[in-house]
Amino acid sequence: MMDNQNKIDQIQSGCELSRNYMNLAELLLEDHMYVPAIIFGEMAIMSLLRAISLKQRGTMGSNYFDLDDLTELMRQNIGVRLDEVLFIYTITYITREVNMSCLNKINREQSQKLLLKVKGLLGELYLIVNE
């Protein structure tokens, strides 16, 4: 069983990891590395969702949140809206290796829009984890 301080430390680590992933995503975007940028954006979301899961349920959750996991978080009324769940599911789907062909022809403008949406979502999720 995890003690409270260890839990707090892991939540803070998940938040910091999320910020680091997002910073890296922005750097990759600047270097015209659009697919890796989107992948790191997705990783930022997953890190923060694991921190929220730890805070709400006492477990970190897996590296991959499926639609059931996301819907459960939304159902727990922690502030994750349906449109956010659908976006998370979509970005998670397109960044899986078997589905990456969806990203083959992504351009700078599309990547910027995706990462802007990721950044907005992260802002909402940070509010949840810091409640």
Side-chain angles (χ1 to χ4, degrees), residues 8-42:
I8 291 168
D9 291 344
Q10 285 193 7
I11 291 168
Q12 290 174 341
S13 292
C15 292
E16 184 64 29
L17 185 59
S18 176
R19 280 189 288 276
N20 290 338
Y21 283 149
M22 192 62 212
N23 289 339
L24 184 53
E26 291 173 332
L27 290 172
L28 290 166
L29 181 66
E30 287 176 19
D31 285 343
H32 309 285
M33 299 177 73
Y34 307 130
V35 173
I38 293 167
I39 291 169
F40 275 97
E42 186 267 347

Coordinates of all heavy atoms in Angstrom, one line a residue, residues 8-42:
I8 N 1.6 11.6 -3.2 CA 1.7 13.0 -3.6 C 3.0 13.1 -4.5 O 2.9 13.8 -5.5 CB 1.8 13.9 -2.4 CG1 0.4 13.9 -1.7 CG2 2.2 15.3 -2.7 CD1 0.5 14.5 -0.3
D9 N 4.1 12.5 -4.1 CA 5.3 12.6 -4.9 C 5.1 12.0 -6.3 O 5.6 12.6 -7.3 CB 6.4 11.9 -4.2 CG 6.9 12.6 -3.0 OD1 6.6 13.7 -2.8 OD2 7.6 11.9 -2.2
Q10 N 4.4 10.9 -6.4 CA 4.1 10.3 -7.7 C 3.2 11.2 -8.6 O 3.4 11.3 -9.8 CB 3.6 8.9 -7.6 CG 4.7 7.9 -7.2 CD 4.2 6.5 -7.3 OE1 3.2 6.2 -7.8 NE2 5.1 5.6 -6.8
I11 N 2.2 11.8 -8.0 CA 1.3 12.7 -8.7 C 2.1 13.9 -9.2 O 2.0 14.2 -10.4 CB 0.2 13.1 -7.8 CG1 -0.8 12.0 -7.5 CG2 -0.6 14.3 -8.4 CD1 -1.8 12.2 -6.4
Q12 N 3.0 14.5 -8.4 CA 3.8 15.6 -8.8 C 4.8 15.2 -9.9 O 5.0 15.9 -10.9 CB 4.6 16.2 -7.6 CG 3.7 16.9 -6.7 CD 4.4 17.4 -5.4 OE1 5.5 16.9 -5.1 NE2 3.8 18.3 -4.7
S13 N 5.3 14.0 -9.8 CA 6.2 13.5 -10.9 C 5.5 13.3 -12.2 O 6.0 13.6 -13.3 CB 6.8 12.1 -10.5 OG 7.7 12.3 -9.4
G14 N 4.3 12.8 -12.1 CA 3.5 12.6 -13.4 C 3.2 14.0 -14.0 O 3.2 14.1 -15.2
C15 N 2.9 15.0 -13.2 CA 2.6 16.3 -13.7 C 3.9 16.9 -14.4 O 3.8 17.5 -15.4 CB 2.2 17.3 -12.6 SG 0.5 16.9 -12.0
E16 N 5.0 16.7 -13.7 CA 6.3 17.2 -14.2 C 6.7 16.5 -15.5 O 7.1 17.2 -16.5 CB 7.4 17.1 -13.2 CG 8.7 17.7 -13.6 CD 8.7 19.2 -13.8 OE1 7.9 19.9 -13.1 OE2 9.5 19.7 -14.6
L17 N 6.5 15.2 -15.6 CA 6.7 14.5 -16.8 C 5.8 14.9 -17.9 O 6.3 15.1 -19.1 CB 6.5 13.0 -16.5 CG 6.8 12.0 -17.6 CD1 8.3 12.1 -18.0 CD2 6.5 10.6 -17.2
S18 N 4.6 15.2 -17.6 CA 3.7 15.7 -18.6 C 4.2 17.1 -19.2 O 4.2 17.3 -20.4 CB 2.3 15.9 -18.0 OG 1.4 16.5 -18.9
R19 N 4.6 18.0 -18.3 CA 5.1 19.3 -18.8 C 6.3 19.1 -19.6 O 6.5 19.7 -20.7 CB 5.4 20.2 -17.6 CG 4.2 20.8 -17.0 CD 4.6 21.9 -16.0 NE 5.1 21.3 -14.7 CZ 4.3 20.9 -13.7 NH1 3.0 21.0 -13.9 NH2 4.8 20.3 -12.6
N20 N 7.2 18.2 -19.2 CA 8.4 17.9 -20.0 C 8.1 17.3 -21.4 O 8.7 17.8 -22.4 CB 9.4 17.0 -19.3 CG 10.0 17.6 -18.1 OD1 10.1 18.8 -18.0 ND2 10.4 16.8 -17.1
Y21 N 7.2 16.4 -21.5 CA 6.7 15.9 -22.7 C 6.2 17.0 -23.6 O 6.4 17.0 -24.8 CB 5.7 14.8 -22.6 CG 6.2 13.4 -22.1 CD1 5.4 12.6 -21.3 CD2 7.5 13.0 -22.5 CE1 5.9 11.4 -20.9 CE2 8.0 11.7 -22.1 CZ 7.2 10.9 -21.3 OH 7.6 9.7 -20.9
M22 N 5.4 17.9 -23.1 CA 4.8 18.9 -23.9 C 5.8 19.9 -24.4 O 5.8 20.3 -25.5 CB 3.7 19.6 -23.1 CG 2.8 20.5 -23.9 SD 1.9 19.6 -25.2 CE 1.9 20.8 -26.5
N23 N 6.8 20.2 -23.5 CA 7.9 21.1 -23.9 C 8.7 20.5 -25.1 O 9.0 21.1 -26.1 CB 8.8 21.4 -22.8 CG 8.2 22.3 -21.7 OD1 7.3 23.0 -22.0 ND2 8.8 22.2 -20.5
L24 N 8.9 19.2 -25.0 CA 9.6 18.5 -26.1 C 8.7 18.4 -27.3 O 9.3 18.6 -28.4 CB 9.9 17.0 -25.6 CG 10.8 16.2 -26.6 CD1 12.0 16.9 -27.0 CD2 11.1 14.8 -26.0
A25 N 7.4 18.3 -27.2 CA 6.6 18.3 -28.4 C 6.7 19.6 -29.1 O 6.7 19.7 -30.3 CB 5.1 18.0 -27.9
E26 N 6.7 20.7 -28.3 CA 6.8 22.0 -29.0 C 8.1 22.2 -29.7 O 8.2 22.8 -30.7 CB 6.5 23.1 -27.9 CG 5.1 23.1 -27.5 CD 4.8 24.1 -26.3 OE1 5.7 24.3 -25.5 OE2 3.7 24.5 -26.2
L27 N 9.2 21.7 -29.1 CA 10.5 21.8 -29.7 C 10.6 21.0 -31.0 O 11.1 21.4 -32.0 CB 11.6 21.3 -28.8 CG 11.9 22.2 -27.6 CD1 12.9 21.5 -26.6 CD2 12.5 23.5 -28.0
L28 N 10.0 19.8 -31.0 CA 9.9 19.0 -32.2 C 9.1 19.6 -33.3 O 9.5 19.6 -34.4 CB 9.4 17.6 -31.8 CG 10.3 16.7 -31.0 CD1 9.5 15.5 -30.4 CD2 11.5 16.2 -31.8
L29 N 8.0 20.3 -32.9 CA 7.2 21.0 -33.9 C 8.0 22.1 -34.5 O 8.0 22.2 -35.8 CB 6.0 21.6 -33.2 CG 5.0 22.3 -34.1 CD1 4.4 21.4 -35.1 CD2 3.9 23.0 -33.3
E30 N 8.8 22.8 -33.7 CA 9.7 23.9 -34.3 C 10.7 23.3 -35.3 O 11.1 24.0 -36.2 CB 10.4 24.6 -33.2 CG 9.5 25.5 -32.4 CD 10.3 26.2 -31.2 OE1 11.5 26.2 -31.2 OE2 9.6 26.6 -30.2
D31 N 11.1 22.1 -35.0 CA 12.1 21.4 -35.9 C 11.5 20.7 -37.1 O 12.1 19.9 -37.7 CB 13.0 20.5 -35.1 CG 14.0 21.2 -34.3 OD1 14.3 22.4 -34.5 OD2 14.6 20.6 -33.3
H32 N 10.2 20.9 -37.3 CA 9.4 20.3 -38.4 C 9.3 18.8 -38.2 O 9.2 18.1 -39.2 CB 10.0 20.7 -39.7 CG 10.2 22.1 -39.9 ND1 9.1 23.0 -40.1 CD2 11.3 22.9 -39.8 CE1 9.6 24.2 -40.2 NE2 10.9 24.2 -40.0
M33 N 9.4 18.3 -37.0 CA 9.2 16.8 -36.8 C 7.8 16.6 -36.2 O 7.6 16.5 -35.0 CB 10.3 16.4 -35.8 CG 11.7 16.6 -36.3 SD 13.0 16.2 -35.2 CE 12.9 14.4 -35.2
Y34 N 6.9 16.6 -37.1 CA 5.5 16.7 -36.8 C 4.9 15.4 -36.1 O 4.2 15.5 -35.1 CB 4.6 17.0 -38.0 CG 5.1 18.3 -38.7 CD1 5.3 18.3 -40.1 CD2 5.3 19.4 -38.0 CE1 5.7 19.4 -40.7 CE2 5.8 20.6 -38.7 CZ 6.0 20.6 -40.0 OH 6.4 21.7 -40.7
V35 N 5.3 14.3 -36.6 CA 4.8 13.0 -36.0 C 5.3 12.8 -34.6 O 4.6 12.6 -33.7 CB 5.0 11.8 -36.9 CG1 4.7 10.5 -36.2 CG2 4.3 12.0 -38.3
P36 N 6.6 13.0 -34.4 CA 7.1 12.8 -33.0 C 6.5 13.9 -32.1 O 6.3 13.6 -30.9 CB 8.7 13.0 -33.2 CG 9.0 12.6 -34.6 CD 7.8 13.1 -35.4
A37 N 6.3 15.1 -32.6 CA 5.7 16.1 -31.7 C 4.3 15.7 -31.3 O 4.0 15.9 -30.1 CB 5.6 17.4 -32.5
I38 N 3.5 15.1 -32.1 CA 2.2 14.7 -31.8 C 2.3 13.5 -30.8 O 1.5 13.4 -29.8 CB 1.4 14.3 -33.0 CG1 1.1 15.6 -33.8 CG2 0.1 13.6 -32.7 CD1 0.6 15.4 -35.2
I39 N 3.2 12.6 -31.0 CA 3.4 11.5 -30.1 C 3.7 12.0 -28.7 O 3.2 11.5 -27.7 CB 4.5 10.5 -30.6 CG1 4.0 9.8 -31.9 CG2 4.9 9.5 -29.6 CD1 5.1 9.1 -32.7
F40 N 4.6 12.9 -28.6 CA 5.0 13.5 -27.3 C 3.8 14.2 -26.7 O 3.6 14.3 -25.4 CB 6.3 14.3 -27.3 CG 7.5 13.4 -27.2 CD1 8.2 13.0 -28.3 CD2 7.9 13.0 -26.0 CE1 9.3 12.2 -28.2 CE2 9.0 12.2 -25.9 CZ 9.7 11.8 -27.0
G41 N 3.0 14.9 -27.5 CA 1.8 15.5 -27.0 C 0.8 14.5 -26.4 O 0.3 14.7 -25.3
E42 N 0.7 13.4 -27.0 CA -0.1 12.3 -26.5 C 0.4 11.7 -25.2 O -0.3 11.5 -24.2 CB -0.3 11.2 -27.6 CG -1.2 10.1 -27.2 CD -0.6 8.9 -26.5 OE1 0.6 8.8 -26.5 OE2 -1.3 8.1 -25.9

